[in-house]
């Protein structure tokens, strides 16, 4: 797994060959997957691992530091938005890529797309977890913040949490495209005979009943439309979040 990820932290790019950096395997998401399967693990450095695993205690922080924490968190979150948009566009192209691979009997484009699907999915899932961990840290600072900052901080946190849930929804819908193609949404192995779990990596197979038409085929058009609508929702929430971040920043730097 470390070699697959070029021996670098997939969040901050810290180099594992550097003596001060220790690499660790971070398990992604809801993992019903076998602990050891590489498709559900991602390489992170010790520092990022600590961010992901620590349970923040309510505490206070100087306004300057809080400002930096908020700014860095929204920075990671906006980078994640564009990665998730790229993941969505990749996922929605999969049905055509699969179909043309069958038509011309060449798998080169398909292999590339599958590879990109796997690593983009891991990267965006990791980034979402990092943002969640940072938002938890910010939430733990709320009760000790200045009273006038508290309500702005709460408004910021609400919008950021809304954005997180739209973004997770887009990833989930993108994964549903893979399931709709009878592939595992994690490792992309072919799924035959409607298994409950992927025979290759053990991940629970995503439910697709909501997306089936009367004859049982998957309604990709409706799925793609929902992906676009959810991305649109995320972009509206981003505008709200930007406004609230600015209000908060003004108070913290006043
Ligand atoms: Zn790192
Ligand atoms: Zn799998």
């Amino acid at each position: 797994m470390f070699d697959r990820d070029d021996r670098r932290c997939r969040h901050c790019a810290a180099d594992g060959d550097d003596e001060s950096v220790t690499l660790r395997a971070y398990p992604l998401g809801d993992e019903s997957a076998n602990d050891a399967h590489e498709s559900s693990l991602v390489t992170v450095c010790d520092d990022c691992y600590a961010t992901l695993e620590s349970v923040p205690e309510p505490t206070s922080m100087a306004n300057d530091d809080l400002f930096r924490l908020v700014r860095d968190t929204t920075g990671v979150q906006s980078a994640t938005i564009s990665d998730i948009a790229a993941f969505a566009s990749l996922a929605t192209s999969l049905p055509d890529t699969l179909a043309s691979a069958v038509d011309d009997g060449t798998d080169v484009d398909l292999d590339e797309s599958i590879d990109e699907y796997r690593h983009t999915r891991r990267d965006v899932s990791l980034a979402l977890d990092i943002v969640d961990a940072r938002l938890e840290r910010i939430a733990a600072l709320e009760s000790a913040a200045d009273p006038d900052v508290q309500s702005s901080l709460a408004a910021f946190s609400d919008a950021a949490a809304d954005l997180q849930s739209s973004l997770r929804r887009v990833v989930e819908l993108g994964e549903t495209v893979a399931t709709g193609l009878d592939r595992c949404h994690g490792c992309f192995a072919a799924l035959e005979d409607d298994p409950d779990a992927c025979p290759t990596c053990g991940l629970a197979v995503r439910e697709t009943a909501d997306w089936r038409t009367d004859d049982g085929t998957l309604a990709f058009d409706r799925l793609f439309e929902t992906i676009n609508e959810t991305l649109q929702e995320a972009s509206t929430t981003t505008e709200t979040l930007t406004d609230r971040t600015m209000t908060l920043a003004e108070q913290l730097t006043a």
Side-chain angles (χ1 to χ4, degrees), residues 188-202:
F188 219 79
L191 301 173
E192 279 149 28
D193 311 325
D194 287 328
D196 293 330
C198 169
T200 306
C201 75

Side-chain angles (χ1 to χ4, degrees), residues 14-242:
D15 188 347
D17 292 333
D18 189 327
E19 269 176 26
S20 62
V21 175
T22 310
L23 297 177
R24 308 192 54 157
Y26 173 70
L28 292 170
D30 58 341
E31 300 316 338
S32 47
N34 310 331
D35 298 339
H37 198 272
E38 54 90 15
S39 66
S40 63
L41 296 171
V42 64
T43 307
V44 291
C45 70
D46 246 359
D47 285 350
C48 290
Y49 192 86
T51 304
L52 288 157
E53 297 291 295
S54 70
V55 180
E57 298 276 326
T59 177
S60 66
M61 189 183 261
N63 280 355
D64 283 359
D65 294 331
L66 182 52
F67 170 68
R68 269 191 293 275
L69 179 60
V70 166
R71 189 195 56 193
D72 294 352
T73 302
T74 51
V76 178
Q77 205 178 24
S78 40
T80 309
I81 298 171
S82 40
D83 291 347
I84 285 176
F87 176 72
S89 129
L90 175 72
T92 51
S93 71
L94 286 173
D96 282 349
T97 313
L98 268 177
S100 55
V102 172
D103 285 350
D104 15 302
T106 62
D107 285 346
V108 180
D109 289 351
L110 181 61
D111 288 349
E112 266 175 29
S113 292
I114 293 174
D115 223 43
E116 205 179 327
Y117 172 91
R118 290 187 184 125
H119 83 78
T120 313
R121 174 181 173 271
R122 282 193 303 266
D123 287 353
V124 297
S125 306
L126 172 64
L128 286 170
D129 283 2
I130 291 266
V131 172
D132 273 348
R134 285 173 156 272
L135 290 174
E136 275 171 36
R137 235 180 118 205
I138 293 173
L141 298 165
E142 197 178 302
S143 58
D146 296 344
D148 55 329
V149 169
Q150 268 184 22
S151 64
S152 304
L153 201 51
F156 161 85
S157 294
D158 282 351
D162 276 357
L163 182 53
Q164 282 294 94
S165 69
S166 294
L167 293 175
R168 286 203 184 273
R169 176 89 178 129
V170 174
V171 174
E172 202 183 294
L173 293 166
E175 292 172 346
T176 305
V177 177
T179 316
L181 294 165
D182 297 320
R183 301 292 186 128
C184 169
H185 70 271
C187 73
F188 219 79
L191 301 173
E192 279 149 28
D193 311 325
D194 287 328
D196 293 330
C198 169
T200 306
C201 75
L203 199 62
V205 174
R206 179 133 300 155
E207 186 52 66
T208 55
D210 288 352
W211 301 104
R212 297 281 168 194
T213 57
D214 293 342
D215 65 0
T217 54
L218 202 105
F220 283 112
D221 288 354
R222 190 156 55 84
L223 181 56
F224 295 173
E225 210 174 289
T226 310
I227 290 177
N228 285 330
E229 282 166 12
T230 314
L231 276 170
Q232 195 53 51
E233 231 171 74
S235 125
T236 310
T237 312
T238 305
E239 287 169 26
T240 311
L241 180 62
T242 307

